[in-house]
Amino acid sequence: MHWRALPAGDQALLLELEDLPQTLALLARLQAAQAQGLLPGLGEMVPAAHTLLLEFDPHQCTAAQLLARVKPLLQPLPQPPGAQPLQGAQEGAARCVPIPVRYDGEDLDALAELLGLSRRELIERHTGCDYLAAFAGFAPGFVYLAGGHDCFAQVPRRATPRTRVPAGAVALAGHFSAIYPKASPGGWQLIGSTPCVMWDLQRPEPALIQPGWRVRFHDLERPGASISLPPAPPAASLAPPAPAQQAPIAPPPQPGACLEVRSPGLQTLLQDGGRSGQTALGVGRSGALDGWAMRAANRCVGNPPGTPVLENLLGQLALVATGPAVLAVTGADVPLRIRSADGRSRQAATGCALALNVGDELQLGSPRAGARCYVAVRGGLQAPLVLGSAATDTLAGIGPEPLAAGARLPLLPAGALGPLQAVDADGLAWGAAARALPQPGQTVALDVLPGPRADWFGPEALQLLQGQPWQVTPQSNRVGMRLAGAKPLQRAPQWAGQELPSEATVAGALQVPASGQPVLFLADHPLTGGYPVLAVLASHHLDLAAQIPADVQLRFRPIGRWPQGDAALPAAQADAATSITTTMKEPPR
């Protein structure tokens, strides 16, 4: 067989295989080996059309060590020539979800003409077989359905994607079918719509379809059509595990003790260490963008490191304590002021514990450096857990809503989230002076490692990546930084115009769309993407990226072994990354 192991930063590998059956077969083997404790350090695994992303803990294993443990599981994998990915799965005992469809899609007639079919023939072929829910991605509840009729094997995407595809739209692209769980942009061919709700957090199983299940489409306009969805299993059997750093919130809040939001600033969110183990549902980790600042704030008040905090963008946050509270502010360098109920005011410092009495108001000014502040409260805030985490994922729409003026955040009793730690005032050097934070107008250098598709770009693009500054635009957010350079990045000639099947991405991925102006993915990035990833931010600069405001220029400093060799990138350090390849029959499609 032919496969490649491609670097995806310093905490992930992307395994590229020949087709979907091999990918799913390897995923099953790895899951079994992981359950037996045979793959120490292996974290999330995210499958796609013919790739499998393996995240790992660099403190437990290196990329080379992980690959050495994975190699024995690669041989032999099923290679049915020309077979549909669903072969053999239709007869299994996997749960089958019926999906009623009204075949009224905007692209139905044009697609039927392209395939040389009548409208009725296309519908009959789409409803004539089961589909395998192969993998999730793009958004929670969006599942790639494989195994349709041969005629759908190479359905093209639209030349110009729609800016809005309605929720419930049934679509085709490549050899996959899918249902859009919410209104969003999309370039797939729309053939119908379903009244089914694909993602609902109020259900015991939020995702109506999950990888490994079967799906059968039914034509609602067919005479005698009557479809009812099967009942969901009990919620108790489906409760997601809570993150190791955060215990479930059981104790009630102190009566009347809370923080009241007088002003939320531009954006203030609840965040923690993020949610893990939910990638099969299309849900990423999310969590605090600046994990270092979150942990530092919690340390200042003696909390466990993953205790939920407030993440504030660009200051101007004002909080009033309705009971005694101890707070700390870290992250961006902001002026702090505490105004007491009797009108007295005093300045305060970031990076240390601040005692507030009843009626005291903590005010955050505008950052002098950095972009995001983190506010921790001793004992913790009562934060609702969604899929095991209090984090707000702005792309997926999961977690608490952004705070608004007047919101009240109940305080938990001391020790509710875990044993409190002693606070050593002499050891708390967590202020802005503890690390260099960027300011508007400055240029920030970020280390980048080769991405899985670095070989899609020639030496000129790699030189341009490190040779010219990249402006951080105001359109940047928690999903990613949109960058603008004087000259766009161009693909190598052999990859010009090629379409990349969707594959998993990581936080820090530098994805290059057709415009050539890259996007640097942050914590709320989509699980999968269809544009090549040229580079990945080194993990030691992820927290720094969270503190970069708009109107800062970036310069990328490549490290590691790149496809064009060290001569093309003089700054490269050969021991900083691992890239292991074997031969392939043809370039990836």
Side-chain angles (χ1 to χ4, degrees):
M1 65 173 292
H2 299 270
W3 59 275
R4 297 199 302 174
L6 305 172
D10 51 14
Q11 297 186 6
L13 285 172
L14 189 73
L15 298 184
E16 183 178 68
L17 298 109
E18 293 189 49
D19 51 28
L20 181 59
Q22 287 188 357
T23 302
L24 298 181
L26 179 59
L27 174 64
R29 293 182 184 182
L30 291 175
Q31 288 172 332
Q34 188 181 43
Q36 298 173 32
L38 302 178
L39 297 170
L42 178 61
E44 299 280 5
M45 295 178 281
V46 187
H50 60 87
T51 59
L52 180 60
L53 181 77
L54 305 181
E55 296 185 353
F56 61 88
D57 181 352
H59 297 98
Q60 298 188 52
C61 69
T62 65
Q65 289 171 338
L66 175 62
L67 192 58
R69 295 173 184 139
V70 169
K71 272 186 177 181
L73 303 177
L74 283 162
Q75 301 288 349
L77 285 172
Q79 296 178 331
Q84 291 294 320
L86 192 60
Q87 291 297 321
Q90 299 185 62
E91 296 79 16
R95 179 174 170 184
C96 186
V97 180
I99 299 294
V101 179
R102 192 172 303 280
Y103 285 91
D104 55 2
E106 297 178 43
D107 302 317
L108 180 64
D109 292 329
L111 183 59
E113 182 178 355
L114 176 67
L115 299 177
L117 303 172
S118 68
R119 181 189 183 101
R120 172 48 52 190
E121 287 173 332
L122 189 153
I123 295 172
E124 288 178 350
R125 295 188 183 187
H126 194 249
T127 58
C129 62
D130 285 0
Y131 294 77
L132 172 67
F135 56 92
F138 172 64
F142 188 97
V143 181
Y144 292 77
L145 306 174
H149 193 278
D150 290 348
C151 70
F152 302 131
Q154 295 299 328
V155 171
R157 287 182 173 87
R158 288 175 54 86
T160 303
R162 290 183 171 88
T163 57
R164 185 182 185 277
V165 175
V170 179
L172 295 171
H175 55 275
F176 293 106
S177 289
I179 305 165
Y180 282 79
K182 64 177 183 179
S184 59
W188 289 34
Q189 304 283 351
L190 305 185
I191 62 171
S193 59
T194 178
C196 297
V197 178
M198 307 310 297
W199 178 261
D200 184 357
L201 284 168
Q202 303 304 313
R203 293 191 300 232
E205 289 178 314
L208 184 64
I209 300 170
Q210 296 186 27
W213 294 359
R214 292 180 295 134
V215 171
R216 186 86 176 203
F217 294 105
H218 298 266
D219 183 5
L220 275 175
E221 296 182 352
R222 186 174 181 176
S226 176
I227 305 300
S228 60
L229 293 174
S237 64
L238 300 160
Q245 289 185 335
Q246 180 178 320
I249 297 176
Q254 301 174 26
C258 69
L259 292 179
E260 182 177 331
V261 180
R262 183 69 52 86
S263 170
L266 181 62
Q267 182 189 67
T268 299
L269 307 170
L270 272 166
Q271 295 294 347
D272 57 16
R275 49 184 58 84
S276 59
Q278 305 296 335
T279 55
L281 301 180
V283 177
R285 178 176 293 275
S286 187
L289 282 190
D290 188 345
W292 185 91
M294 176 195 69
R295 294 187 295 273
N298 278 317
R299 178 177 175 181
C300 286
V301 296
N303 287 343
T307 302
V309 298
L310 301 182
E311 179 183 271
N312 163 261
L313 178 62
L314 298 180
Q316 304 303 314
L317 171 67
L319 302 168
V320 177
T322 66
V326 178
L327 280 66
V329 181
T330 61
D333 177 19
V334 294
L336 300 181
R337 183 169 293 276
I338 297 176
R339 187 180 300 276
S340 60
D342 61 8
R344 290 179 299 171
S345 177
R346 69 183 189 274
Q347 291 183 342
T350 58
C352 61
L354 307 172
L356 271 62
N357 293 317
V358 177
D360 285 355
E361 179 177 339
L362 175 65
Q363 302 172 346
L364 280 66
S366 297
R368 295 178 286 248
R372 289 177 171 84
C373 303
Y374 292 82
V375 182
V377 184
R378 184 168 175 84
L381 298 165
Q382 186 185 37
L385 300 183
V386 180
L387 297 177
S389 170
T392 298
D393 187 328
T394 58
L395 178 66
I398 295 175
E401 292 290 327
L403 298 184
R408 295 171 68 87
L409 306 170
L411 306 183
L412 288 168
L417 296 177
L420 294 177
Q421 307 296 319
V423 179
D424 178 9
D426 293 334
L428 292 177
W430 301 109
R435 56 177 179 167
L437 293 173
Q439 301 178 32
Q442 289 185 336
T443 298
V444 178
L446 296 176
D447 293 338
V448 289
L449 295 145
R453 301 301 170 188
D455 59 351
W456 280 45
F457 300 85
E460 296 81 6
L462 299 183
Q463 291 287 1
L464 188 61
L465 175 68
Q466 67 172 339
Q468 76 173 2
W470 298 90
Q471 189 76 33
V472 178
T473 69
Q475 289 72 37
S476 304
N477 52 32
R478 281 181 50 89
V479 177
M481 287 187 194
R482 294 186 178 273
L483 308 178
K487 296 181 179 180
L489 297 169
Q490 301 289 340
R491 296 182 187 179
Q494 65 269 32
W495 298 111
Q498 294 286 332
E499 189 170 287
L500 178 72
S502 293
E503 59 189 27
T505 60
V506 297
L510 196 68
Q511 192 182 69
V512 185
S515 67
Q517 302 292 353
V519 178
L520 180 63
F521 280 160
L522 298 177
D524 289 355
H525 68 90
L527 274 183
T528 60
Y531 295 116
V533 172
L534 166 59
V536 179
L537 195 64
S539 58
H540 58 260
H541 275 165
L542 274 173
D543 292 336
L544 175 60
Q547 295 296 349
I548 296 176
D551 298 327
V552 163
Q553 289 190 332
L554 303 183
R555 281 194 179 272
F556 292 110
R557 190 164 49 203
I559 61 176
R561 300 183 61 184
W562 289 70
Q564 278 69 30
D566 295 347
L569 294 170
Q573 301 172 15
D575 59 349
T578 300
S579 176
I580 304 171
T581 64
T582 65
T583 58
M584 293 191 67
K585 290 181 179 178
E586 57 184 14
R589 292 168 292 173

